[in-house]
Amino acid sequence: MGLYDAYLSVRHRLHDGTPPTHVAIVITERDLLADGAFETLASTLRWGFEYGAERVTVSVSVLDPAVVPSLVREFRRLDAPHPMSIRGPDDTEPADAPIRVNVGLGGKAEFAAAVRDLAGDVDAGEIGPEEIHEETIADRLVFPAEPDLVIKTGAERLSDFAIWQSVYAELYFTDVNWRDFRRRDYLRAVLDFQDRQRRFGR
């Protein structure tokens, strides 16, 4: 660890603010196709748990559905610090592991599927419309947990990430490209989170 990274690490350790317990990292398929991208991801996952996270979600936005199987294979080979749940665009089973990976399942599609599922239950008489609440919808999502901090590299856009779950998340955008993302960049995001006063929409 370099001197500057060590300085940031000490700042984090001495900071009064609570670190994020659920961190989401939003990257693109192009990010992961670059040389060394999965090594960077493995390091970032370790940093997440090292600096206070109890859960890390990785969301990969995909333009070409044909790359999904190869990306999933690479994730399965990843040297991750904790068990992973990997879900693709056709999966409906909720992800439940310390590391949750979304490959190509957009937030709009995930929300629409949850609404269709609920509509089917209403049509079958299994649930009444008045019984549908926020928790009812959240329970039908593939990625139901709400992140505290969302980190997006390279550009200031969320790429259709978790439109329901991230409504109260703190967003951190960095112009550092994924291939150049280092420990110091992750720590800057965590320190920025610790410096903020969360309002949860208020």
Side-chain angles (χ1 to χ4, degrees), residues 79 96 116 141 184:
D79 182 21
D96 185 15
R116 281 196 302 272
L141 298 173
R184 66 183 58 182

Side-chain angles (χ1 to χ4, degrees), residues 108-142:
K108 289 182 178 180
E110 181 188 23
F111 181 72
V115 171
R116 281 196 302 272
D117 192 43
L118 278 169
D121 285 352
V122 170
D123 189 56
E126 297 176 7
I127 186 174
E130 70 282 354
E131 299 176 80
I132 298 175
H133 306 288
E134 292 179 11
E135 296 80 7
T136 320
I137 295 173
D139 288 343
R140 307 294 177 110
L141 298 173
V142 178

Side-chain angles (χ1 to χ4, degrees), residues 9-191:
S9 185
V10 170
R11 269 198 63 203
H12 161 72
R13 192 166 60 249
L14 298 179
H15 202 293
D16 291 336
T18 303
T21 58
H22 181 187
V23 176
I25 300 164
V26 182
I27 51 184
T28 67
E29 64 179 87
R30 188 171 68 175
D31 291 331
L32 286 181
L33 294 174
D35 289 341
F38 277 93
E39 287 81 358
T40 298
L41 182 57
S43 296
T44 304
L45 291 172
R46 288 193 294 272
W47 300 331
F49 291 99
E50 180 181 346
Y51 293 111
E54 299 173 2
R55 180 183 300 125
V56 177
T57 295
V58 179
S59 180
V60 185
S61 62
V62 173
L63 295 177
D64 181 5
V67 305
V68 170
S70 61
L71 289 176
V72 169
R73 281 195 302 272
E74 290 300 319
F75 270 106
R76 296 196 187 284
R77 297 173 184 157
L78 190 67
D79 182 21
H82 293 283
M84 290 190 296
S85 290
I86 304 171
R87 299 291 184 266
D90 299 321
D91 291 319
T92 57
E93 185 72 19
D96 185 15
I99 300 172
R100 303 175 182 194
V101 179
N102 169 9
V103 183
L105 175 59
K108 289 182 178 180
E110 181 188 23
F111 181 72
V115 171
R116 281 196 302 272
D117 192 43
L118 278 169
D121 285 352
V122 170
D123 189 56
E126 297 176 7
I127 186 174
E130 70 282 354
E131 299 176 80
I132 298 175
H133 306 288
E134 292 179 11
E135 296 80 7
T136 320
I137 295 173
D139 288 343
R140 307 294 177 110
L141 298 173
V142 178
F143 294 87
E146 299 180 1
D148 300 306
L149 172 64
V150 176
I151 300 174
K152 176 67 171 68
T153 63
E156 293 189 8
R157 57 178 179 270
L158 286 180
S159 303
D160 194 20
F161 167 74
I163 57 173
W164 177 275
Q165 303 91 316
S166 60
V167 64
Y168 294 136
E170 297 296 321
L171 309 180
Y172 182 86
F173 298 102
T174 173
D175 57 4
V176 175
N177 289 321
W178 180 250
R179 65 178 178 270
D180 301 318
F181 195 73
R182 296 166 293 179
R183 179 191 292 266
R184 66 183 58 182
D185 302 305
Y186 183 83
L187 271 169
R188 283 174 180 151
V190 171
L191 285 166

